[in-house]
Amino acid sequence: MTTATATTDLGAAYPGYLDHLADADEYAATDLAIGLLDAGVAAERVLLDLVAPAQAEVGERWARNEWSVAQEHAATHISEQVVAAVSAHVKPRPTGGRVVVACMDGEWHALPPRLVTEVLRLRGWQVTFLGASVPAAHLVSYLHRYDAYAVALACALPMRLPHAHRMIEACRRSDVPVVVGGRGFGADGRWARRLGVAWAPDAPSAAELIADERTLRGAPPARLAHLADDEYASLVRRRGELIDGALAELRERVPAARAYTAAQLDATVSDLGHIVDFLAAAIYVDDASLFTEFVQWLSGVLLSRGVPVGAIALPLEHYAAALRDFPRAARALALGCAALPGVSR
């Protein structure tokens, strides 16, 4: 056993674990985690104070353009293997009811809910992890078949909130209490409260909520009366038209865009679509800050890749003109433009 794996100091072990992820060294990363367990560190702490923050740093390195998508995927896979090794090493035995953990339909960030799964197992629950992007109908069918005590749903991207709400309501119609988590519900859970569902900021909080059925079922009702004006539904119907129009204007006003490779074109269309989807989600929960936070994040990602802010400002202006009769969308777009760095107000 090496000095790094023999330590019980997770802070001291963390840099080495990150180095193993950077080197794509699955065996060294696993040995380090198991060494911590053998040295007396609780499995929950290894998962939450080593693997979880390392995965957050992996995402930040991708956002800063320090790591490629391939490097990010390799590191994520290694951490998934480490989580599996920790679980197999501890071998917890269930004493509680069945809890189902799943990602929202269209949500592919599966490691955070996998960590929640293992923490629940360590605390005695019988847990079934359904993985990434679970269709609502399939989830409900599973809940009926296996008589679940509760379901925990994860969402990392706020643009999935409309889908998340439909999934939450489908579970409730099955009389299964729901707890949600993930950055998609806001750092403080404010969009979970808007949807009327119990929210946990982390895995231990999720475990405590699930153990308290009264609180889990006692979330205040959703506050979505504004959806009656049909602005959200109208925007969603125009999604394709908006993207096509923004792409056409980009090609007209930015000559370099006419020579984009197929990969560049695909990335541009994807970004234009994400702008519409985040805008729609902001309207769904009636909170423009959801959109402005996304715009600030996207501008940082693109700037780190040498893409000027104007490449974001142009489609925002196009969407604002096209949606001038949509009051909430127009306000969010105006705030989004104002949030761009270095853009004159």
Side-chain angles (χ1 to χ4, degrees):
M1 185 180 296
T2 66
T3 302
T5 57
T7 183
T8 60
D9 184 351
L10 286 165
Y14 178 77
Y17 185 78
L18 271 179
D19 287 343
H20 297 327
L21 296 184
D23 295 338
D25 192 337
E26 176 181 330
Y27 302 102
T30 302
D31 286 347
L32 189 154
I34 299 303
L36 287 166
L37 297 177
D38 290 340
V41 180
E44 188 169 311
R45 298 272 56 85
V46 173
L47 296 173
L48 300 182
D49 296 338
L50 181 73
V51 179
Q55 185 61 23
E57 175 60 21
V58 167
E60 289 299 318
R61 291 184 182 188
W62 171 83
R64 296 192 298 262
N65 201 30
E66 296 172 7
W67 280 15
S68 68
V69 170
Q71 288 173 294
E72 183 269 329
H73 284 188
T76 300
H77 168 75
I78 291 169
S79 283
E80 288 171 342
Q81 296 300 104
V82 169
V83 172
V86 169
S87 178
H89 191 78
V90 178
K91 296 181 180 178
R93 291 289 184 263
T95 57
R98 183 185 297 275
V99 178
V100 175
V101 181
C103 292
M104 301 292 181
D105 194 1
E107 177 60 68
W108 297 97
H109 296 83
L111 183 55
R114 175 69 189 282
L115 291 169
V116 172
T117 296
E118 299 309 327
V119 169
L120 290 172
R121 282 198 181 114
L122 289 168
R123 296 194 178 199
W125 294 99
Q126 181 178 355
V127 191
T128 301
F129 179 52
L130 300 184
S133 190
V134 180
H138 294 205
L139 173 61
V140 170
S141 174
Y142 191 91
L143 296 178
H144 280 302
R145 182 172 183 179
Y146 290 99
D147 190 27
Y149 174 83
V151 59
L153 300 176
C155 180
L157 299 175
M159 71 176 182
R160 303 291 182 201
L161 285 174
H163 300 285
H165 186 223
R166 290 191 285 274
M167 205 162 180
I168 291 163
E169 291 304 308
C171 293
R172 282 178 167 162
R173 286 192 292 272
S174 302
D175 196 33
V176 180
V178 183
V179 60
V180 300
R183 291 173 297 174
F185 292 99
D188 57 358
R190 60 189 182 276
W191 301 318
R193 290 190 291 275
R194 175 69 75 172
L195 299 182
V197 63
W199 170 80
D202 50 39
S205 300
E208 291 167 8
L209 261 176
I210 290 170
D212 184 357
E213 185 178 2
R214 183 176 179 180
T215 300
L216 192 60
R217 291 183 180 272
R223 294 176 288 121
L224 299 171
H226 58 279
L227 294 178
D229 67 11
D230 209 37
E231 183 171 337
Y232 166 77
S234 298
L235 173 58
V236 171
R237 284 194 295 269
R238 293 184 59 181
R239 183 180 188 276
E241 168 197 336
L242 289 166
I243 295 170
D244 289 345
L247 182 61
E249 183 171 354
L250 181 67
R251 284 173 157 169
E252 178 183 341
R253 294 177 56 178
V254 181
R258 301 169 201 163
Y260 275 0
T261 65
Q264 288 173 316
L265 183 61
D266 286 345
T268 300
V269 170
S270 177
D271 287 341
L272 294 174
H274 283 153
I275 293 172
V276 176
D277 293 339
F278 272 87
L279 177 62
I283 294 172
Y284 195 89
V285 297
D286 195 23
D287 187 350
S289 71
L290 185 157
F291 185 68
T292 56
E293 288 173 12
F294 163 70
V295 169
Q296 291 170 329
W297 175 85
L298 179 62
S299 64
V301 169
L302 294 181
L303 283 170
S304 72
R305 288 153 174 79
V307 180
V309 170
I312 310 171
L314 194 154
L316 294 186
E317 292 166 1
H318 175 87
Y319 291 153
L323 298 171
R324 57 186 175 274
D325 295 329
F326 290 56
R328 279 195 295 278
R331 178 174 179 272
L333 286 161
L335 291 172
C337 285
L340 289 172
V343 176
S344 59
R345 309 294 188 250

